[in-house]
Amino acid sequence: MANVHILDHPLIQHKLALIRDKNTGSKDFRDLVEEVAMLMAYEVTRDFPLQEVAIETPVATATTKMIAGRKVGLVPILRAGLGMVDGMLRLIPAAKVGHVGLYRDPETLQPVEYYCKLPPDVEERDLIVIDPMLATGGSASAAITFLKERRARSIKLMCLIAAPEGIKAVEEAHSDVDIFVAAIDKQLNDHGYIVPGLGDAGDRLFGTK
Ligand code: PRP
Ligand code: URA
């Protein structure tokens, strides 16, 4: 089974409450999604190995630690995943960014691929797939499958809000992928929206509704 990590840091939870609020407008929504993504990046990278290094301080040599040559790839699922990229890049500035374009057919709720552009050395990178919403899990599962078809070997999934149905779907399809979320909500409604959720993440980020 995949490992599910709920990131319950008070700052993440507080900002997530503001993100959920229907009275939060696009600008604040965007800023908050970026901030929460940055805070989540801190936890998602917790298992990165360290190596000892010698650093010259103004006073003496310090034997200290740095991240051991990790190559990271961020893979936002278009569109809404884009809202989380800049926050993560603030903490992992050397990461390369690949894009997977998927939308959910509103009738069937099945993911439809329309774009895929990844760093060429995808198999050498620790990939973090990012999307605010894990609803049925169809989009995330499909994105992870694309990455595996392109020889990716290390993949994590990071979402703001998940439905139990989405977690189950990803766990069943990709038991090797750790899932990081800020909250697991109650259920999906008949239109495949997470309840209570935050509404349509893409529309709220980009003001398209
Ligand atoms: C949303 C969201 C996820 C997907 C989740 O994208 O950003 O990608 O739905 O649903 P699922 O788990 O049931 O697949 P949407 O399809 O609305 O596209 P958009 O980001 O372009 O608005
Ligand atoms: N996509 C969204 O943007 N919101 C949901 O609640 C479900 C899928």
Side-chain angles (χ1 to χ4, degrees):
M1 287 295 257
N3 272 322
V4 181
H5 308 260
I6 302 174
L7 307 185
D8 60 357
H9 190 285
L11 284 173
I12 294 177
Q13 295 303 314
H14 179 87
K15 289 174 191 295
L16 183 61
L18 298 172
I19 288 171
R20 288 182 188 273
D21 189 336
K22 67 177 183 187
N23 296 313
T24 298
S26 275
K27 187 202 176 296
D28 289 340
F29 188 91
R30 269 197 300 274
D31 291 348
L32 286 159
V33 168
E34 190 177 318
E35 287 168 13
V36 170
M38 184 176 72
L39 295 168
M40 291 182 77
Y42 175 82
E43 288 294 339
V44 173
T45 53
R46 182 173 282 282
D47 65 345
F48 280 13
L50 294 168
Q51 63 185 16
E52 279 200 352
V53 291
I55 295 282
E56 294 301 323
T57 80
V59 179
T61 302
T63 304
T64 181
K65 290 178 179 157
M66 293 183 86
I67 291 172
R70 219 58 178 188
K71 289 170 95 177
V72 178
L74 306 179
V75 185
I77 301 179
L78 305 179
R79 287 176 301 168
L82 289 176
M84 300 168 78
V85 172
D86 286 351
M88 297 194 72
L89 285 175
R90 298 266 292 278
L91 289 195
I92 322 171
K96 295 272 191 286
V97 183
H99 295 86
V100 174
L102 289 170
Y103 70 88
R104 248 181 16 160
D105 183 290
E107 299 299 323
T108 64
L109 300 183
Q110 290 304 304
V112 181
E113 184 195 2
Y114 61 90
Y115 189 75
C116 185
K117 180 81 180 172
L118 300 171
D121 54 354
V122 84
E123 70 281 2
E124 293 170 25
R125 293 189 176 268
D126 291 314
L127 301 179
I128 308 172
V129 175
I130 50 183
D131 193 326
M133 310 306 278
L134 181 61
T136 65
S139 303
S141 290
I144 293 166
T145 299
F146 295 149
L147 297 177
K148 289 182 173 174
E149 285 168 356
R150 288 159 176 85
R151 302 191 311 282
R153 50 152 190 87
S154 164
I155 305 173
K156 292 173 178 167
L157 172 64
M158 183 180 127
C159 304
L160 298 188
I161 302 179
E165 295 90 331
I167 300 254
K168 185 164 177 282
V170 174
E171 278 181 332
E172 282 174 4
H174 303 289
S175 60
D176 54 322
V177 171
D178 277 12
I179 305 171
F180 296 79
V181 296
I184 301 177
D185 278 8
K186 211 163 138 220
Q187 63 194 59
L188 295 177
N189 69 14
D190 293 343
H191 305 288
Y193 275 84
I194 299 176
V195 182
L198 54 72
D200 189 302
D203 283 344
R204 292 194 65 190
L205 273 170
F206 299 111
T208 42
K209 207 165 198 173

